[in-house]
Amino acid sequence: MNRYTILVYTENFIGILNRITIIFTRRGINISALTASESRLDGIHKITIEATVTEEQIIQLVNQIEKIIDVIKAYYFVDDEVVYQEIALYKIPIDSLDPKLEKVIRQFNAHIIAAEKEFVVLEFTGHKEDTQALLEILKPFNLLEFSRSGRVAIAKPKFSVQEYLNNQT
């Protein structure tokens, strides 16, 4: 099994996530991460899905996703074919701030993005393994809360949804 990133381009965003997740659920496949956002093209949204499956499964998944009416095109890539990151937020009590924590923040190049009376919030961007490593280090500092986004990815191979749309007309 390999970890794959699926990039889905869709025109109508309403209900599309539900229809896509049903495809995974019916096959008993777990979605490791899912993010959705606007793309560079007006009216077209991009959904990024991370899943660990076989090559045969990924081909079947992408083919099924492309059958959804609102989907323009779906592509799949292995990890070395995409540039990707995740963002993580860590909420730490203000009384946990000390020189050891400052050293950790500097080592990871994390940023304090909010400082309140009772806590600070750190932001760190990296691969899941990196954000998880920082999580484990911060737990002894009485970590109050943790949240990690799904994968945000851009494909390395040159392709363009705009080109695909132009070829369809």
Side-chain angles (χ1 to χ4, degrees):
M1 286 209 209
N2 288 317
R3 187 166 55 183
Y4 288 94
T5 299
I6 303 170
L7 302 179
V8 180
Y9 294 87
T10 179
E11 287 182 81
N12 185 353
F13 198 62
I14 298 171
I16 195 75
L17 290 175
N18 185 45
R19 289 181 271 170
I20 289 173
T21 57
I22 287 171
I23 291 170
F24 284 80
T25 303
R26 287 186 180 152
R27 288 172 173 70
I29 297 171
N30 186 48
I31 295 174
S32 302
L34 180 118
T35 58
S37 67
E38 297 173 340
S39 75
R40 69 174 187 86
L41 301 172
D42 289 338
I44 296 180
H45 291 80
K46 179 180 177 181
I47 300 168
T48 305
I49 305 166
E50 178 189 344
T52 302
V53 293
T54 65
E55 185 174 8
E56 180 180 323
Q57 288 174 313
I58 196 71
I59 291 168
Q60 290 173 352
L61 286 167
V62 169
N63 287 339
Q64 277 302 126
I65 290 169
E66 285 190 328
K67 289 180 182 177
I68 298 172
I69 292 171
D70 295 327
V71 170
I72 297 167
K73 187 71 179 152
Y75 302 91
Y76 68 92
F77 304 95
V78 293
D79 278 359
D80 63 352
E81 295 177 316
V82 290
V83 175
Y84 63 95
Q85 293 285 285
E86 295 182 1
I87 185 172
L89 301 177
Y90 310 83
K91 186 176 178 182
I92 300 169
I94 201 81
D95 58 1
S96 290
L97 292 178
D98 68 19
K100 290 178 190 173
L101 180 58
E102 181 184 352
K103 186 176 180 182
V104 169
I105 293 169
R106 289 179 190 275
Q107 285 175 335
F108 277 82
N109 199 25
H111 305 279
I112 296 175
I113 60 169
E116 300 292 331
K117 189 175 184 178
E118 297 178 5
F119 63 87
V120 296
V121 176
L122 303 177
E123 176 268 330
F124 176 62
T125 303
H127 290 181
K128 187 173 188 175
E129 298 80 13
D130 304 325
T131 59
Q132 187 66 32
L134 182 54
L135 172 64
E136 297 305 321
I137 292 170
L138 291 176
K139 282 180 181 178
F141 292 96
N142 302 317
L143 185 68
L144 298 171
E145 195 172 342
F146 168 73
S147 184
R148 178 175 34 228
S149 72
R151 178 177 283 202
V152 178
I154 294 179
K156 289 180 182 177
K158 184 179 186 284
F159 76 94
S160 166
V161 173
Q162 182 70 55
E163 289 174 18
Y164 175 80
L165 290 170
N166 291 343
N167 291 334
Q168 299 301 304
T169 56

